[in-house]
Amino acid sequence: MSDFPAGNFVSEYSEAERRWLLRLAHLSVRAVVINPSTPNLAVPGSPNPNTPTAGVPGPPNPNTPTAGVPGSPQQPLAAEAESEHLREQRGAFVSLYKDGKLRGCIGRIAALTALERTVREMAMAAAREDPRFVPVRPEELDLLQIEISVLSPMREVSPGEVVVGRDGLLVTYNGRRGLLLPQVPVQWKWSREIFLAQTCMKAGLPPDQWLHGATIEAFTAEVFGEHEPCESLRE
């Protein structure tokens, strides 16, 4: 896994802040996998795989991963980020990978909570609330790589304004929503039109709905992740 986008992109987050967030995500996953009684973080009811937000804000969890989590490093994270930057309200997605394949991905689009809390909650939800996968098992913890996508605010755009390699998309129509992160069309070498069609299909809509009244919103994302399993836990 490599950072996205490449080229002349200027990172908003320092290397230290990135490492802190990746470590936080790992420890959060470990906490919820080792202690399944951790309160449910998902929207009540059966999660909808076409709904791009599975996390909702709630009170801070006393079981969040700091000291005492089995398998965690000897020097755990502080209960709260030292960087004021990481306390800014931002939407984010956390993706889990195992053997190079997606193992879970959950995100929050709206900037409802501090970024450090969003990452904590979305990491825990990705480990057990993604309806496409069975919950992560304890024996998988040391095999996981984590990727974090920090989102910009949404902006409504026309189809012709979409730029592959820069934009992620949220398509909405008749109560259905589908979201794809900006790295997805790059990974699959999609054109703009295929990207729009695939986002419609993610919402359970016809692939050409973007031509027929769907609302198209774009966003950018700073995406960073580990190059090998548990990399951030060893630093």
Side-chain angles (χ1 to χ4, degrees):
M1 295 165 58
S2 59
D3 294 348
F4 174 91
N8 296 323
F9 178 76
V10 178
S11 174
E12 179 181 350
Y13 297 92
S14 68
E15 285 300 316
E17 289 172 328
R18 290 179 172 206
R19 287 194 300 271
W20 196 94
L21 289 170
L22 289 166
R23 185 179 172 94
L24 171 66
H26 257 299
L27 294 178
S28 300
V29 168
R30 286 173 179 259
V32 76
V33 170
I34 292 167
N35 179 15
S37 64
T38 302
N40 195 323
L41 299 172
V43 176
S46 299
N48 183 344
N50 295 319
T51 302
T53 52
V56 293
N61 190 326
N63 295 321
T64 47
T66 53
V69 177
S72 64
Q74 294 299 313
Q75 296 181 346
L77 289 171
E80 194 174 69
E82 294 182 3
S83 169
E84 289 290 340
H85 193 198
L86 300 186
R87 298 193 193 112
E88 294 176 359
Q89 293 186 339
R90 298 292 293 269
F93 276 69
V94 176
S95 303
L96 311 180
Y97 290 87
K98 176 186 171 186
D99 298 327
K101 298 179 181 178
L102 187 66
R103 186 62 181 83
C105 178
I106 295 287
R108 176 177 294 147
I109 299 172
L112 299 175
T113 54
L115 176 59
E116 60 90 17
R117 179 172 164 183
T118 302
V119 167
R120 186 192 311 264
E121 294 180 350
M122 295 306 97
M124 296 172 82
R128 69 175 189 178
E129 299 296 344
D130 189 329
R132 300 169 294 179
F133 303 94
V134 298
V136 171
R137 300 180 297 273
E139 59 268 26
E140 297 179 277
L141 290 174
D142 291 338
L143 304 175
L144 296 178
Q145 289 173 260
I146 289 184
E147 180 180 85
I148 296 172
S149 303
V150 183
L151 309 188
S152 72
M154 297 282 171
R155 66 189 192 283
E156 190 168 341
V157 297
S158 67
E161 294 176 301
V162 175
V163 176
V164 172
R166 180 193 70 188
D167 296 328
L169 292 180
L170 173 66
V171 169
T172 307
Y173 184 79
N174 198 26
R176 291 180 175 270
R177 298 197 303 171
L179 180 144
L180 288 175
L181 294 170
Q183 60 266 42
V184 174
V186 175
Q187 292 168 350
W188 291 96
K189 297 180 172 58
W190 290 341
S191 66
R192 175 194 296 159
E193 291 74 18
I194 293 175
F195 186 22
L196 286 158
Q198 289 288 336
T199 311
C200 289
M201 293 168 66
K202 183 74 179 292
L205 297 167
D208 63 348
Q209 193 66 59
W210 60 277
L211 291 169
H212 304 290
T215 299
I216 304 168
E217 294 176 271
F219 60 92
T220 59
E222 179 166 342
V223 184
F224 50 93
E226 298 174 305
H227 296 84
E228 57 186 75
C230 298
E231 181 180 19
S232 62
L233 293 182
R234 294 193 294 271
E235 296 178 355

